[in-house]
Structures are given as C-alpha cells and as structure tokens.
Amino acid sequence: MGKNNLLRKNGLIILFLSLLISGCATSISNYDQHAYIQTTSLKVDALNLMDSAKDEYNSHIIAVQELQTNLQKAYEYEKNRPKNEITIKLWDKLLDKNGHLLGGFIERWKAGTKMSDTFISNCKEQVGEAFDTISGLESQKIKKTDLSK
C-alpha cells in the first residue's frame, strides 16, 4: 500500500473515530436494515462503475447518472433518520465532489480524465473502505426489539 493510500486510509479512520467520539454525547439512531442493504448494494454498483473509468465518461453517462440518483436517494433516506448525524458525515465525505473518494473520482472522470487500471484499483480500495465504514457503523447500531411479542 502506497504512502498516499495509507494516509487516506488513516485519515478516514481518524474521521470515523472522531465522529464516533463526538457522537457519544448524543445518542445514535437504531439499526435500519434498509439502510444497510442500500449501502452495501450501492457499494457494489459504485465499484463496478468505477472500472469503466478507463473509457470516456460520455460513453457511461447514463450509468453514472443512475448511480448518482441512487446515491442521492440513499443520502436523503439517511438524512431524514433521527439521530443519524455520524452516518450523514460519513456520506458527506464519500460524496464530496472536491474530495478523494467517490464524488471526487466521478468529477475527475467527468472532466475528461481517463483513469489507469492502477489508479482505478487504488481508488476502488479507498471507496470500498468508505462504504464499509458506513455499513459497519450501521451494523453496529442497536437493533430495536419487538416488545409486542
């Protein structure tokens, strides 16, 4: 793993931990199976689409727009869940168009840059880890129990 990848990975871990610690003062949302499934599904879609970045962006514009729409739907779902600020901050980081994760990757591709296989592979690793952080947080949330049983 290169120095830049290690720094980015460590930065993501530090961000997650700081968000988790700062969130300890407030409660966190309960586990939501729909959110978990949505996140893991979008991870697969995003990573598969990223492989196409060795081609011209315009030849994949419909697939990119579809992914971005689905990402926006997931983000809106998460944003409207109570006590979900930590998850929203993680999504913000993932989708930031000026960042180094999925949002920035798509913007760079859109600007006309064809990506090399090595660059795509490195970016996919980072984006995959970001999705894993989000889904991992979700899977660690407390599951509501059905008290009516």
Side-chain angles (χ1 to χ4, degrees):
M1 181 180 298
K3 184 179 179 182
N4 287 339
N5 289 341
L6 185 58
L7 290 174
R8 287 187 192 127
K9 183 176 181 178
N10 288 342
L12 188 60
I13 292 169
I14 290 168
L15 172 69
F16 174 71
L17 291 175
S18 65
L19 291 172
L20 190 60
I21 291 168
S22 68
C24 288
T26 62
S27 57
I28 192 167
S29 65
N30 289 318
Y31 172 79
D32 185 305
Q33 184 173 2
H34 176 73
Y36 180 81
I37 290 170
Q38 207 172 25
T39 302
T40 55
S41 176
L42 284 168
K43 174 187 175 183
V44 172
D45 295 344
L47 297 180
N48 285 337
L49 182 63
M50 289 174 77
D51 283 327
S52 302
K54 56 188 163 223
D55 303 330
E56 293 286 336
Y57 171 81
N58 288 335
S59 62
H60 298 280
I61 194 166
I62 293 172
V64 172
Q65 289 173 339
E66 183 178 307
L67 175 65
Q68 288 178 317
T69 297
N70 289 333
L71 289 164
Q72 289 171 348
K73 289 176 184 178
Y75 182 81
E76 285 300 315
Y77 182 84
E78 295 286 7
K79 194 168 76 172
N80 287 293
R81 291 175 57 201
K83 302 177 186 173
N84 208 29
E85 294 81 14
I86 296 170
T87 302
I88 291 302
K89 288 180 181 179
L90 293 172
W91 274 102
D92 286 340
K93 181 80 172 164
L94 176 68
L95 301 176
D96 181 4
K97 291 181 179 183
N98 298 312
H100 298 287
L101 295 173
L102 184 59
F105 180 90
I106 291 172
E107 286 303 305
R108 183 175 181 161
W109 186 22
K110 192 185 294 187
T113 305
K114 287 184 188 179
M115 315 289 181
S116 70
D117 287 333
T118 302
F119 183 80
I120 292 169
S121 178
N122 289 337
C123 289
K124 284 177 63 176
E125 184 178 329
Q126 295 167 19
V127 169
E129 289 171 2
F131 272 108
D132 289 346
T133 300
I134 295 169
S135 61
L137 174 60
E138 190 63 43
S139 69
Q140 295 301 313
K141 292 178 180 177
I142 297 172
K143 295 175 173 77
K144 283 186 178 179
T145 56
D146 186 2
L147 299 176
S148 65
K149 290 183 178 181

